[in-house]
Amino acid sequence: MTVSPHTPTIADIMQTSPVIPVLVVHDAADARPMAEALVKGGLRVLEVTLRTPAALDAIREMRKVEGAIVGAGTVVSAAQFADAMDAGSEFIVSPGLTETIARPILDSGVPFLPGIANAGDIMRGLDLGLTHFKFFPAEASGGLKALKALAAPFYQAKFCPTGGITEASAPEWLAFGPVLCVGGSWIVGATHAETETRAHAASGLRG
């Protein structure tokens, strides 16, 4: 499971859009039109969480959408990583960071965004050669004040806060230099037209 040398880095992916939609897809038939609405609205990076039986098929469907960069989230095991890659995932997001989950992903070369919540997590990531992290769960872990305190001693680290971020709070997070993007679950609306409208608004949220 190796990737092309032309694959974008996790830094490239994190700087593509200010918001990465965190998607829980229950019906794979919804996946492609959902992705089309998000991309049309200006959000190209899509994280499909592996929380439903439809998730892997949803990734396959979303990969058919021109311009979409589709990854798998909530990856917690090597088996899930293998399944996500087989489905065509272009990046991997995990809720936490252990060497067991990180090693096969790093060996593959696929862009990887592991979750961290404290200084020990970041130090473990740095030991593995990682500098880009998902701060999760962002609000429950102390919010922006906590991330600013964590970022101070780890000047080389960049973050994507996820968990409790809203359209109202996102600009404040994005105004903090080490934050390259935020993850959000508020983007998907009741209709694809509403999703596109929300995506368009989110694509302009850079602080």
Side-chain angles (χ1 to χ4, degrees):
M1 288 181 293
T2 57
V3 297
S4 164
H6 303 297
T7 297
T9 66
I10 193 62
D12 295 332
I13 290 170
M14 290 170 70
Q15 294 176 89
T16 299
S17 303
V19 180
I20 297 177
V22 179
L23 308 172
V24 181
V25 182
H26 295 280
D27 185 347
D30 292 334
R32 187 167 180 174
M34 181 189 298
E36 289 170 344
L38 290 164
V39 171
K40 191 173 181 181
L43 300 183
R44 296 176 52 220
V45 179
L46 314 178
E47 177 190 338
V48 180
T49 63
L50 301 189
R51 301 180 190 178
T52 69
L56 294 172
D57 285 337
I59 291 170
R60 294 184 178 96
E61 287 300 308
M62 289 185 175
R63 281 297 312 274
K64 299 174 183 177
V65 176
E66 184 176 357
I69 302 170
V70 187
T74 323
V75 176
V76 298
S77 69
Q80 282 189 324
F81 166 58
D83 289 343
M85 292 301 289
D86 288 344
S89 297
E90 296 171 274
F91 63 94
I92 299 294
V93 183
S94 65
L97 176 59
T98 66
E99 186 165 0
T100 300
I101 186 64
R103 184 55 59 194
I105 301 173
L106 293 174
D107 288 347
S108 77
V110 68
F112 178 39
L113 186 63
I116 60 89
N118 55 54
D121 291 342
I122 297 173
M123 291 172 68
R124 187 179 308 114
L126 294 174
D127 284 346
L128 290 165
L130 295 161
T131 56
H132 290 68
F133 305 101
K134 170 173 122 171
F135 179 48
F136 176 81
E139 290 294 349
S141 297
L144 183 56
K145 183 178 179 179
L147 182 59
K148 287 181 175 180
L150 280 174
F154 302 111
Y155 63 90
Q156 65 274 67
K158 304 297 181 184
F159 301 95
C160 174
T162 304
I165 311 294
T166 66
E167 184 176 7
S169 66
E172 187 177 7
W173 286 94
L174 291 164
F176 180 46
V179 171
L180 300 185
C181 61
V182 299
S185 58
W186 79 87
I187 309 296
V188 175
T191 66
H192 298 309
E194 184 180 354
T195 296
E196 182 182 335
T197 298
R198 292 185 183 184
H200 182 72
S203 69
L205 283 178
R206 179 71 65 192

